[in-house]
Amino acid sequence: MADSSFDIVSKLDRQEVDNALNQAAKEVANRFDFRNVDAGIRWAGDGIEIQANSEERAKAVLEVLKDKLVKRGVSLKAIDAGEPKASGKLYKLGVALKEGISQENAKKISKIIRDEGPKGVKAQIQGDELRVSSKKKDDLQAVIALLKGKDLDVALQFVNYR
């Protein structure tokens, strides 16, 4: 009998991020406490740029964005927000979007599977994803439950379950 398997990936749904960004921009434009503070949020290459006339306002715009991302089902582990930096009269804050599982995190995850997972489960690192295989589907379900219970610093999705 062939082994059952699934892949562990860390991908972002760009459309959902774009929708959250647009909703946040609309809310920032309409909210009373963001009037006359030059607050804004927009795409900047692969990341997001937030600007306002004070550090507190820039952080408040970031909170609006985080709120919208959570409502759209995007994990906050997939964003990496920096600190607001003064740029002329405005403070700018860069938000990087993280995709893929780094080698370091992949090794951490496979070690967790080896140490705490059911016996006979194999984890292979394949680029920026992991392939987990086992003879029993129940063992794979146990690995998914185990990883969902762990507090890892990457957003994980489980795909290609066969």
Side-chain angles (χ1 to χ4, degrees):
M1 188 172 120
D3 282 3
S4 300
S5 68
F6 68 88
D7 294 335
I8 302 173
V9 296
S10 180
K11 298 233 187 293
L12 269 176
D13 186 347
R14 289 274 178 187
Q15 188 61 51
E16 289 298 333
V17 174
D18 191 45
N19 291 343
L21 181 97
N22 290 335
Q23 285 178 339
K26 215 175 275 183
E27 183 171 325
V28 166
N30 292 329
R31 258 179 48 180
F32 180 76
D33 57 337
F34 288 122
R35 292 262 157 81
N36 301 323
V37 293
D38 297 327
I41 181 170
R42 63 186 173 85
W43 283 107
D46 280 344
I48 297 170
E49 185 180 80
I50 294 172
Q51 68 180 25
N53 67 357
S54 72
E55 271 188 63
E56 294 77 31
R57 286 286 138 232
K59 287 181 179 178
V61 174
L62 177 63
E63 289 306 313
V64 170
L65 175 65
K66 285 181 178 180
D67 185 46
K68 299 300 178 190
L69 287 170
V70 168
K71 284 184 180 169
R72 300 207 64 90
V74 177
S75 174
L76 293 182
K77 291 178 181 177
I79 67 169
D80 187 16
E83 285 297 312
K85 291 184 178 52
S87 172
K89 291 182 180 176
L90 296 175
Y91 282 84
K92 293 188 177 184
L93 189 146
V95 180
L97 303 173
K98 298 189 288 189
E99 279 193 298
I101 301 172
S102 68
Q103 286 293 323
E104 179 185 318
N105 283 327
K107 288 177 184 173
K108 235 186 267 184
I109 293 167
S110 63
K111 182 170 174 29
I112 289 171
I113 293 171
R114 264 197 324 273
D115 295 347
E116 302 175 34
K119 297 288 178 235
V121 176
K122 294 186 282 295
Q124 300 170 308
I125 299 172
Q126 298 179 335
D128 62 351
E129 57 185 54
L130 255 86
R131 162 101 10 115
V132 180
S133 57
S134 172
K135 296 219 179 292
K136 297 183 200 157
K137 286 191 173 189
D138 288 347
D139 289 349
L140 294 180
Q141 302 260 337
V143 169
I144 291 174
L146 170 73
L147 291 176
K148 282 185 178 179
K150 293 287 177 189
D151 185 28
L152 301 164
D153 55 349
V154 289
L156 298 179
Q157 292 89 33
F158 307 99
V159 296
N160 296 340
Y161 189 88
R162 318 187 176 114

